[in-house]
Amino acid sequence: MAPSQDNNSEISEKDIVEKENLWSSILNDVRDHGNNKLPSCKQVLVLGDNESGKTTLVAKLQGAENPKKGSGLEYAYIDVRDDYRDDHTRLSVWVLDGDPGHTGLLKFALNEETFPHTLVILTVTMTAPWGILEQLQHWASVLADHLDKLKLDLDTRQARRQHIVRIWQEYVEPGDELDPASPMKRSSRNLGESDHDNELGEGLPLPEGTLTSNLGLDIVVVVTKVRFV
């Protein structure tokens, strides 16, 4: 028995509605993912003693051949491209002179607004390896003293500290993320943490002596002027 014209009409309308819903879903998905632009608020702050290679390091990251050294507080930027999404942005870079008399200029680079978006690079040089620890302690102290002077929101600073702790707890040696049996793979699955604990940033306690001074900043130590024999 052939379907009636009314049934055919209902099926046709249903197909149209489903196709419209499908296209609407696709368009919404494209719109949501298309808004994930590279942020323009991120920045790097480079600290270190004089002649530790700060300006040269930034020039290498920029792809420049002839670094131009400034004085006091230098500003530069690095072009960052995402070829997959055909997007680009500029990463701000601040370089502070190693002279202690210029530490007051930190307020222009690291303040209440830029604190959550700043990565700090501490440069030390192998021309005097016996002074590396002292240099790191000095610049960590400069950072801590400067942050204490800022009027940072307590919730923001605490959230950043928890973020740093979580990075340590979830750290995986490069390459070990592919090996579930690796002893260095510190994921919630291996540590026996629940998903709820992970969301709260609560994992196993950090090893003794780790993050004894948590500034809430991402910090990278770069060793310069290393000679390979």
Side-chain angles (χ1 to χ4, degrees):
M1 181 176 178
S4 66
Q5 186 175 357
D6 291 340
N7 288 339
N8 286 335
S9 177
E10 291 178 2
I11 294 174
S12 177
E13 291 179 0
K14 184 178 180 181
D15 289 341
I16 293 174
V17 171
E18 288 180 350
K19 288 180 180 179
E20 289 179 348
N21 290 337
L22 176 62
W23 278 111
S24 178
S25 176
I26 292 174
L27 291 173
N28 288 335
D29 186 63
V30 171
R31 181 193 60 195
D32 293 340
H33 286 82
N35 289 334
N36 294 331
K37 297 292 185 181
L38 291 174
S40 59
C41 59
K42 302 299 181 181
Q43 65 171 24
V44 174
L45 172 62
V46 187
L47 304 175
D49 288 4
N50 285 329
E51 304 302 324
S52 63
K54 300 187 297 293
T55 303
T56 302
L57 173 64
V58 173
K60 292 294 184 182
L61 294 174
Q62 291 177 309
E65 295 295 332
N66 299 315
K68 297 180 180 180
K69 187 175 181 179
S71 60
L73 182 66
E74 302 175 44
Y75 175 79
Y77 65 85
I78 299 173
D79 283 316
V80 180
R81 292 199 60 85
D82 184 342
D83 294 330
Y84 179 76
R85 291 185 295 183
D86 192 24
D87 191 14
H88 71 279
T89 189
R90 286 183 174 180
L91 175 67
S92 296
V93 182
W94 298 91
V95 182
L96 182 69
D97 192 289
D99 190 326
H102 291 119
T103 56
L105 298 174
L106 270 176
K107 62 184 178 181
F108 297 106
L110 182 57
N111 49 49
E112 293 85 356
E113 182 179 354
T114 60
F115 170 71
H117 310 291
T118 301
L119 167 73
V120 177
I121 293 180
L122 301 181
T123 59
V124 290
T125 172
M126 282 299 290
T127 56
W130 52 85
I132 286 179
L133 180 59
E134 181 180 352
Q135 292 173 37
L136 291 176
Q137 291 173 336
H138 165 70
W139 288 106
S141 177
V142 169
L143 270 177
D145 291 344
H146 175 69
L147 292 177
D148 287 341
K149 297 175 185 177
L150 298 182
K151 298 178 181 179
L152 292 171
D153 179 74
L154 293 179
D155 291 338
T156 299
R157 190 161 189 182
Q158 184 60 25
R160 289 296 304 170
R161 285 172 172 165
Q162 290 177 351
H163 166 73
I164 300 300
V165 170
R166 190 161 54 250
I167 288 177
W168 279 85
Q169 290 172 334
E170 298 176 353
Y171 176 74
V172 178
E173 286 285 346
D176 285 344
E177 69 274 6
L178 303 177
D179 181 8
S182 171
M184 293 302 295
K185 186 173 178 60
R186 307 190 63 191
S187 66
S188 59
R189 180 170 47 197
N190 293 81
L191 296 176
E193 302 168 18
S194 68
D195 292 338
H196 179 65
D197 288 340
N198 244 357
E199 291 173 2
L200 296 178
E202 298 175 358
L204 289 180
L206 295 174
E208 184 177 355
T210 304
L211 283 182
T212 54
S213 178
N214 187 348
L215 301 180
L217 286 167
D218 293 302
I219 299 178
V220 175
V221 176
V222 175
V223 182
T224 62
K225 303 183 182 180
V226 179
R227 293 185 178 181
F228 296 96
V229 180

